[in-house]
Amino acid sequence: MRNYGIMQGRLTPPKGRGIQFFPFENWREEFYAASEIGLQEIEFIFDQEEYEKNPLWSIEGVKELICIMEKTGVKVNAVCFDYFMRVPFYKETQQKVTKVREENKDVLLHVIRSMKQAGIPLIEIPLVDHSSLKSDQERDLFRDFLLEIEKEALKIYPEIKFGLETDLGPGEFIEYIETFHSDRIGANYDSGNSSGIGYDLYEEVVSLGGKIFNIHIKDRVYQGTTVALGTGSADFDRLFQGLQKIGYQGTFILQAARGEEGKEKQNIVSQMTFLKKYVADYGL
């Protein structure tokens, strides 16, 4: 069965917190709401702000998460490690880079231990915006870092996978992934980020092929902001032609623009209708 999910926080009124955030006051209730509207997954967010209050940071929090997943039937199969996007070590000054690198490593491995306990197999690392890889040096530094993490993480959790989200062009992205020489390191593909840059979605998907571990469904205006699905620059026909060609079998995570505050459920149901039509039209 095809799984559909949402990015955490999309079933919680933002109240001025922006498009994406960890819903501390409502994360439990989101599982019940997701179940009511027919979603199978919620992609968890682990951000820097008050991260010690995130349930993935404590044994008690993980136990509560497991209990809620069992009660609702809504699973967490991926964690978006937004923490890294806020404090990537390779953007620091020479005086601070070593200290921040160790902090990045410690927090990431702590989260992976919690993921093992909860049975969450995929961690996504955003390499966009502040953490974008802008030079060969930054790419090399991050590669060395992630290979070190992978080596230690596999001792903790042999099933773990790492999905990278980057703003690299189609050819560059797959070439970069291949430099890791690991079947545990692949891509988290985001249709909105790519359309916002102006990439051809078909070309990207086909070039990445089986290295795509997960997909975020989003629409953005070229060189602009996230907008309602079907109203931006994302060519969803090109996207699904590519997904059809590679035989994509994974989850679709809705990370689309928010609608009217207070009508989160209705907005997600509308997005699901939009998405499921393309899935059906292309036989996925």
Side-chain angles (χ1 to χ4, degrees), residues 10-215:
R10 289 305 203 276
L11 284 167
T12 299
K15 298 179 181 178
R17 288 174 287 188
I19 195 169
Q20 185 158 307
F21 54 88
F22 184 89
F24 288 101
E25 81 284 8
N26 198 51
W27 72 266
R28 302 165 184 85
E29 288 76 13
E30 283 201 331
F31 282 83
Y32 294 93
S35 178
E36 288 173 10
I37 59 176
L39 292 166
Q40 292 80 38
E41 293 188 26
I42 291 178
E43 183 171 311
F44 236 55
I45 293 172
F46 191 92
D47 211 338
Q48 182 192 22
E49 183 180 4
E50 296 187 293
Y51 70 87
E52 292 174 338
K53 295 181 180 179
N54 191 297
L56 290 175
W57 194 251
S58 67
I59 294 172
E60 296 78 13
V62 174
K63 287 180 178 178
E64 186 176 13
L65 172 59
I66 293 169
C67 182
I68 290 173
M69 288 193 292
E70 290 174 349
K71 284 182 179 179
T72 61
V74 176
K75 303 299 183 184
V76 177
N77 286 323
V79 173
C80 186
F81 194 64
D82 278 355
Y83 177 101
F84 191 79
M85 191 163 54
R86 315 302 177 198
V87 283
F89 70 91
Y90 46 82
K91 300 292 185 181
E92 297 294 341
T93 61
Q94 188 173 357
Q95 290 76 16
K96 292 178 64 178
V97 64
T98 300
K99 178 177 182 292
V100 175
R101 187 184 190 278
E102 286 305 302
E103 290 172 352
N104 287 172
K105 177 181 175 181
D106 290 345
V107 174
L108 184 50
L109 289 174
H110 186 109
V111 171
I112 289 171
R113 290 186 186 95
S114 295
M115 289 171 63
K116 179 183 187 299
Q117 187 179 353
I120 304 169
L122 176 65
I123 187 158
E124 299 167 2
I125 303 179
L127 302 171
V128 294
D129 299 327
H130 181 56
S131 58
S132 177
L133 300 170
K134 296 297 187 184
S135 66
D136 288 343
Q137 181 184 27
E138 290 184 352
R139 295 184 201 184
D140 291 344
L141 287 170
F142 178 75
R143 183 194 304 110
D144 292 345
F145 170 77
L146 187 56
L147 287 173
E148 182 180 323
I149 292 290
E150 181 196 30
K151 184 177 180 180
E152 296 195 30
L154 288 175
K155 297 174 185 176
I156 300 167
Y157 189 14
E159 291 76 29
I160 191 71
K161 286 188 174 184
F162 300 86
L164 309 184
E165 182 179 332
T166 81
D167 51 14
L168 298 172
E172 288 181 301
F173 194 4
I174 187 60
E175 286 176 8
Y176 185 60
I177 288 173
E178 288 174 346
T179 65
F180 288 89
H181 303 291
S182 171
D183 60 1
R184 293 283 160 189
I185 298 173
N188 173 63
Y189 184 73
D190 189 304
S191 62
N193 290 349
S194 294
S195 59
I197 298 171
Y199 296 149
D200 183 293
L201 306 191
Y202 175 89
E203 182 185 354
E204 275 197 297
V205 166
V206 171
S207 69
L208 290 167
K211 283 292 187 179
I212 297 177
F213 293 162
N214 194 25
I215 292 180

Side-chain angles (χ1 to χ4, degrees), residues 6 10-11 33-34 36-39 229 254 263-277:
I6 56 161
R10 289 305 203 276
L11 284 167
E36 288 173 10
I37 59 176
L39 292 166
L229 296 178
L254 289 162
K263 295 185 177 180
E264 282 74 24
K265 279 188 183 179
Q266 297 95 313
N267 188 39
I268 297 298
V269 168
S270 176
Q271 293 173 7
M272 287 174 65
T273 300
F274 178 94
L275 174 57
K276 286 182 176 181
K277 183 180 185 303

Side-chain angles (χ1 to χ4, degrees), residues 4-5 10 189-193 214-219 226-227 229 236 239-240 243 251-257 271 274-275 279:
Y4 298 91
R10 289 305 203 276
Y189 184 73
D190 189 304
S191 62
N193 290 349
N214 194 25
I215 292 180
H216 289 171
I217 295 294
K218 185 194 301 179
D219 201 349
T226 301
V227 294
L229 296 178
F236 286 99
L239 171 63
F240 278 86
L243 296 176
T251 298
F252 290 105
I253 297 291
L254 289 162
Q255 196 188 23
Q271 293 173 7
F274 178 94
L275 174 57
V279 172

